[in-house]
């Protein structure tokens, strides 16, 4: 499931970058209705704000990693660093 979340976040970022570049290359012609660039640009940016957003997807996909790292750090920390007293 994590790979799906990561893939969706990455695909959204790539879609925005590619359509933005296409809009710059085509200039004013990109806004005409006979080219699909305007619609793709609009859809890419709409996908960035529709739930779940890329930020939420990245947080969700990174959460298990950080939980593992935090539990690993607590188990290897000295007793004094964990807040326990003798």
């Amino acid at each position: 499931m994590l790979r799906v979340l990561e893939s969706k976040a990455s695909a959204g970022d790539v879609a925005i970058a590619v359509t933005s570049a296409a809009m710059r290359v085509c200039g004013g012609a990109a806004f005409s209705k006979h080219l699909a660039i305007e619609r793709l640009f609009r859809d890419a940016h709409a996908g960035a704000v529709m739930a779940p957003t890329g930020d939420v997807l990245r947080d969700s996909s990174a959460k298990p990693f950080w939980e593992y790292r935090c539990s690993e750090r607590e188990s290897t920390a000295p007793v004094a660093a964990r807040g326990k007293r003798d």
Side-chain angles (χ1 to χ4, degrees):
M1 185 65 176
L2 292 178
R3 293 204 178 187
V4 172
L5 297 176
E6 294 168 1
S7 298
K8 185 178 185 316
S10 296
D13 292 343
V14 169
I16 289 173
V18 168
T19 55
S20 295
M23 292 289 277
R24 281 193 302 276
V25 167
C26 293
F31 290 100
S32 67
K33 295 295 180 187
H34 73 278
L35 293 177
I37 297 170
E38 182 264 338
R39 181 180 54 83
L40 295 172
F41 178 81
R42 199 171 10 105
D43 291 347
H45 283 276
V49 296
M50 294 171 62
T53 64
D55 295 339
V56 172
L57 292 172
R58 284 184 195 82
D59 289 344
S60 298
S61 63
K63 190 174 184 179
F65 171 74
W66 288 114
E67 288 174 352
Y68 172 76
R69 292 288 294 164
C70 290
S71 66
E72 183 180 276
R73 187 177 301 151
E74 287 176 2
S75 65
T76 60
V79 173
R82 282 187 255 161
K84 295 182 181 177
R85 296 183 183 181
D86 294 329

